[in-house]
């Protein structure tokens, strides 16, 4: 055996990279809950984006001859053509559930966007500058937390009337407190780090330090909390619509479908069951995704 052969080590021998399918399978085995959450979220988003192509029927078209028709797979007579049955005026439940995903996700995403922007700005200001600005912003946050959201929303919606954008604005102007308090706490810790002092020493402006050094370090927390809030906003929208203070009754929404079906739970179980399952799976998906993102980005969870 030559000296050249003796010098070769296992590290010098190139190992073949695993195939894409093997890497995907390893990721699924390592993060089953996160993958399940991503699948549920992607299904909800796909239903919202492609509802007009996926829905087999017009969600607003009524047919009294099909009133409370059972699901096609549970119909003993074989006359029903609706996969998940029909509601009290003969509208296809499957189509209405698909179109309802658009409303729920719109409320979730835009409501979180408004609260995220407001809460991030106020949290950065309170945490970085401190003193009387911190005291003022946190006292306003305490006052905001003192009001129960449902009661506050009922009062506002009763005065202003129903509407999807009114729900979004109310949610955004109410839930900024969570973002502000979270970001403030992290900024108070970050601004004492050595690299922040070094950035100040070399002449970095306040805006530059916040934009380049502080904001990127709190983005993971913002992402995790935003994912959790989307799930909560979907539930709140369904609750307000169920009470008659949310989305207009003519627009397909999961909360409205539950409200319409409450008088038929014992005679037509499908009218309430399938919209409830849609809400449950969507909220579960965002919660699982949020838990996985927290475990992924939080260094304390890694330890």
């Amino acid at each position: 055996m030559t000296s050249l052969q003796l010098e070769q080590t296992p590290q010098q021998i190139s190992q073949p990279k695993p195939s894409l399918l093997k890497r995907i399978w390893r990721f699924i085995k390592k993060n089953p809950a996160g993958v399940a959450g991503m699948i549920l979220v992607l299904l909800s988003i796909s239903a919202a984006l492609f509802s007009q192509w996926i829905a087999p029927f017009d969600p607003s078209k009524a047919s009294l001859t099909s009133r409370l028709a059972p699901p096609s797979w549970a119909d003993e007579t074989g006359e029903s053509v609706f996969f998940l049955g029909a509601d009290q005026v003969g509208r296809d439940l499957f189509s209405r559930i698909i179109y309802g995903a658009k409303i729920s996700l719109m409320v979730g995403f835009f409501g979180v966007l408004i609260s995220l922007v407001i809460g991030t700005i106020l949290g950065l200001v309170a945490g970085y500058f401190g003193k009387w600005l911190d005291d003022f912003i946190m006292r306003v946050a305490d006052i905001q937390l003192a009001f129960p959201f449902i009661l506050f929303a009922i009062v506002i919606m009763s005065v202003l009337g129903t509407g999807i954008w009114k729900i979004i604005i109310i949610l955004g102007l109410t839930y900024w407190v969570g973002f502000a308090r979270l970001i403030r706490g992290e900024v108070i810790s970050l601004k004492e780090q050595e690299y922040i002092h070094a950035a100040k020493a070399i002449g970095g402006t306040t805006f530059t330090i916040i934009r380049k050094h502080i904001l990127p370090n709190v983005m993971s927390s913002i992402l995790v909390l935003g994912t959790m809030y989307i799930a909560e906003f979907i539930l709140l929208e369904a609750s307000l619509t169920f009470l008659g203070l949310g989305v207009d009754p003519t627009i397909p929404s999961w909360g409205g479908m539950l409200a319409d079906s409450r008088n038929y739970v014992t005679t037509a179980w499908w009218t309430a069951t399938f919209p409830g399952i849609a809400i449950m799976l969507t909220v579960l998906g965002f919660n699982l995704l949020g838990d996985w993102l927290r475990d992924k980005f939080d260094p304390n969870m890694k330890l």
Side-chain angles (χ1 to χ4, degrees), residues 4 8 24 40 51 53 64 73 78 83 98 102 120-121 151 160 166 189 209 215 258 260 290:
L4 178 63
Q8 290 180 341
I24 293 175
L40 292 173
S51 55
W53 294 286
L64 294 179
W73 42 268
F83 178 63
I98 291 175
K102 185 184 300 183
T120 299
I121 294 173
L151 179 60
L160 300 180
K166 294 175 184 177
S189 175
I209 293 173
L215 187 58
L258 289 175
D260 294 338

Side-chain angles (χ1 to χ4, degrees), residues 4 19 25 31 66 101 109 118 123-124 145 176 198 200 208 218 246 255:
L4 178 63
S19 63
W25 176 244
N31 310 284
S66 302
F109 282 117
I118 298 174
L124 289 172
L145 290 173
W176 64 268
K200 292 179 181 179
T208 302
V218 300

Side-chain angles (χ1 to χ4, degrees), residues 4-267:
L4 178 63
Q5 291 174 326
L6 291 172
E7 291 175 357
Q8 290 180 341
T9 60
Q11 289 77 9
Q12 293 174 317
I13 302 174
S14 60
Q15 297 292 335
K17 292 184 178 181
S19 63
L20 178 61
L21 291 177
K22 287 185 178 180
R23 282 182 285 174
I24 293 175
W25 176 244
R26 288 178 184 175
F27 180 79
I28 294 174
K29 287 178 65 177
K30 189 176 180 181
N31 310 284
V35 172
M38 283 188 282
I39 292 174
L40 292 173
V41 169
L42 288 175
L43 287 175
S44 300
I45 294 175
S46 300
L49 293 177
F50 307 108
S51 55
Q52 58 181 339
W53 294 286
I54 299 175
F57 298 96
D58 183 350
S60 301
K61 185 178 181 180
S63 175
L64 294 179
T65 57
S66 302
R67 181 177 181 271
L68 298 178
S72 56
W73 42 268
D75 185 14
E76 298 179 355
T77 62
E79 297 178 355
S80 177
V81 296
F82 305 110
F83 178 63
L84 298 182
D87 63 6
Q88 71 279 5
V89 293
R91 295 172 296 191
D92 179 38
L93 278 180
F94 183 56
S95 300
R96 290 180 64 79
I97 289 173
I98 291 175
Y99 273 84
K102 185 184 300 183
I103 301 300
S104 295
L105 293 181
M106 184 183 297
V107 171
F109 282 117
F110 284 103
V112 165
L113 181 62
I114 294 174
S115 58
L116 185 152
V117 171
I118 298 174
T120 299
I121 294 173
L122 294 179
L124 289 172
V125 171
Y128 189 82
F129 294 101
K131 299 182 180 178
W132 67 270
L133 276 174
D134 183 20
D135 292 337
F136 176 75
I137 293 173
M138 288 300 102
R139 296 300 76 75
V140 173
D142 292 340
I143 294 172
Q144 181 76 59
L145 290 173
F147 290 95
F149 169 76
I150 291 294
L151 179 60
F152 177 74
I154 288 174
V155 172
I156 298 299
M157 298 299 286
S158 299
V159 174
L160 300 180
T162 60
I164 182 172
W165 287 107
K166 294 175 184 177
I167 296 177
I168 292 173
I169 292 173
I170 291 173
L171 288 170
L173 294 179
T174 304
Y175 275 78
W176 64 268
V177 177
F179 287 100
R181 291 166 67 92
L182 173 67
I183 295 169
R184 169 187 173 271
E186 294 200 5
V187 171
I188 290 175
S189 175
L190 288 172
K191 72 178 183 179
E192 301 300 330
Q193 299 295 320
E194 293 182 358
Y195 66 91
I196 300 296
H197 292 297
K200 292 179 181 179
I202 62 175
T205 63
T206 300
F207 178 76
T208 302
I209 293 173
I210 291 176
R211 181 174 61 88
K212 289 187 175 181
H213 302 292
I214 293 182
L215 187 58
N217 286 287
V218 300
M219 285 304 297
S220 59
S221 300
I222 293 173
L223 179 62
V224 173
L225 185 60
T227 306
M228 298 290 191
Y229 271 179
I230 290 175
E232 187 169 351
F233 285 9
I234 290 173
L235 286 175
L236 290 172
E237 179 273 324
S239 301
L240 289 173
T241 305
F242 181 84
L243 296 173
L245 297 171
V247 180
D248 191 278
T250 59
I251 300 175
S253 66
W254 295 340
M257 296 171 69
L258 289 175
D260 294 338
S261 63
R262 55 189 166 187
N263 295 325
Y264 307 97
V265 173
T266 57
T267 56

